[in-house]
């Protein structure tokens, strides 16, 4: 595969704009990890756990991780989500920030496939970042390159999607640029699942947040704290 073709595959996998699920979550103000809004209001949880995350996924959180980006999808077939950053202090998780977000335009899946337009449910480490624009204050290894520029045929509203990205370590080689097309589980399992800038609607599988949110994550996520993401629709997260 030529470099140009590899880059095209990578960017296409992350996704152009498409049909939106519509609407945005409006998260509440910051709070400790003891409560998480649920269908029937506030639900008490153990402050030593990430709110809304059940035993199955909680066991997958790396023991060394003291920074967790939690992505709470509104529903299995929804593109609307909320991103929350949690920091572990002692044995307790504290919620630091929260941002409205979008995920795959068709929702979520536990068996992500190339071009299914759904985001993968699971726990994944966060080791590498990059983008069209430089981020000199980023703590994660950061690759600035014009190669992140979306193709010219993508809709206008997506032109700045990849100004900054954080690679989600789903089916990729850690320690490389987010543009690395390597797929350890094979091409059919998809890849190039990123946190990137939001264009106001669902993605092809990535998670998108505001520029302010992305800049905050780049300044805050620290390799020494072994950051990871826990992501999925609320029902899948709670199992």
């Amino acid at each position: 595969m030529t470099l140009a073709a590899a880059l095209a595959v990578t960017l296409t996998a992350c996704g152009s704009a498409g049909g939106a699920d519509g609407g945005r979550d409006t998260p509440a103000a910051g709070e400790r990890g003891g409560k998480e809004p649920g269908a029937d209001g506030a639900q008490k949880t153990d402050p030593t756990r990430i709110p809304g995350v059940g035993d199955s996924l909680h066991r997958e959180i790396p023991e060394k991780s003291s920074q967790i980006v939690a992505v709470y999808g509104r529903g299995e077939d929804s593109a609307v989500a909320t991103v929350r950053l949690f920091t572990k202090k002692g044995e307790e998780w504290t919620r630091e920030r929260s941002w409205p977000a979008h995920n795959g335009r068709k929702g979520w899946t536990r068996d992500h496939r190339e071009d299914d337009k759904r985001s993968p449910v699971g726990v994944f480490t966060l080791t590498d970042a990059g983008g069209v624009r430089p981020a000199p204050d980023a703590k994660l290894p950061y690759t600035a390159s014009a190669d992140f520029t979306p193709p010219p045929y993508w809709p206008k509203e997506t032109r700045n999607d990849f100004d900054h990205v954080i690679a989600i370590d789903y089916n990729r080689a850690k320690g490389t640029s987010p543009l690395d097309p390597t797929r350890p589980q094979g091409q059919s399992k998809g890849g190039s699942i990123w946190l990137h800038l939001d264009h106001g609607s669902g993605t092809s599988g990535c998670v998108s947040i505001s520029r302010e949110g992305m800049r905050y994550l780049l300044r805050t996520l620290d390799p020494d704290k072994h950051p990871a993401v826990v992501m999925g629709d609320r029902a899948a997260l709670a199992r």
Side-chain angles (χ1 to χ4, degrees), residues 6-7 9-11 13-14 127-131 140-145 147-148 162 164-183 191-195 218:
L7 293 177
V9 169
T10 298
L11 292 179
C14 196
T127 56
D128 304 283
L140 293 173
Y142 191 93
T143 301
S145 172
D147 290 335
F148 283 92
F162 307 146
H164 303 294
V165 313
I166 297 172
I168 294 171
D169 292 337
Y170 168 85
N171 196 21
R172 69 176 299 269
K174 299 179 185 180
T176 65
S177 164
L179 290 172
D180 188 333
T182 303
R183 301 287 179 264
S192 297
I193 304 297
W194 298 343
L195 287 161
L218 287 171

Side-chain angles (χ1 to χ4, degrees), residues 27-214:
E31 64 189 16
R32 291 185 65 80
K35 292 184 179 181
E36 172 63 21
D40 55 352
Q43 179 181 356
K44 292 183 179 180
T45 59
D46 182 347
T48 65
R49 298 169 61 97
I50 302 297
V53 179
D55 291 343
S56 179
L57 289 179
H58 223 285
R59 285 193 292 266
E60 295 183 26
I61 296 175
E63 290 185 9
K64 293 183 178 180
S65 291
S66 58
Q67 290 180 323
I68 290 294
V69 176
V71 184
Y72 298 93
R74 179 178 291 181
E76 183 179 4
D77 299 320
S78 172
V80 179
T82 299
V83 166
R84 291 174 178 154
L85 174 64
F86 292 90
T87 300
K88 195 172 188 179
K89 298 178 180 179
E91 295 300 318
E92 296 190 3
W93 289 98
T94 299
R95 187 173 118 183
E96 302 291 344
R97 295 290 180 96
S98 183
W99 302 275
H102 288 93
N103 51 267
R105 69 181 65 112
K106 290 188 177 181
W108 297 89
T109 179
R110 289 180 173 273
D111 185 22
H112 178 67
R113 296 288 172 173
E114 184 78 10
D115 203 34
D116 66 6
K117 304 299 186 290
R118 291 180 178 269
S119 298
V121 175
V123 178
F124 311 101
T125 53
L126 301 171
T127 56
D128 304 283
V132 176
R133 297 181 178 275
D137 53 355
K139 293 183 178 180
L140 293 173
Y142 191 93
T143 301
S145 172
D147 290 335
F148 283 92
T149 304
Y153 54 83
W154 280 17
K156 182 179 179 180
E157 62 266 26
T158 70
R159 298 307 299 161
N160 298 113
D161 278 13
F162 307 146
D163 280 1
H164 303 294
V165 313
I166 297 172
I168 294 171
D169 292 337
Y170 168 85
N171 196 21
R172 69 176 299 269
K174 299 179 185 180
T176 65
S177 164
L179 290 172
D180 188 333
T182 303
R183 301 287 179 264
Q185 300 176 53
Q187 195 66 34
S188 66
K189 291 291 289 180
S192 297
I193 304 297
W194 298 343
L195 287 161
H196 66 66
L197 301 188
D198 190 58
H199 57 249
S201 65
T203 71
S204 286
C206 295
V207 174
S208 60
I209 64 173
S210 67
R211 185 177 296 273
E212 183 274 334
M214 177 60 69

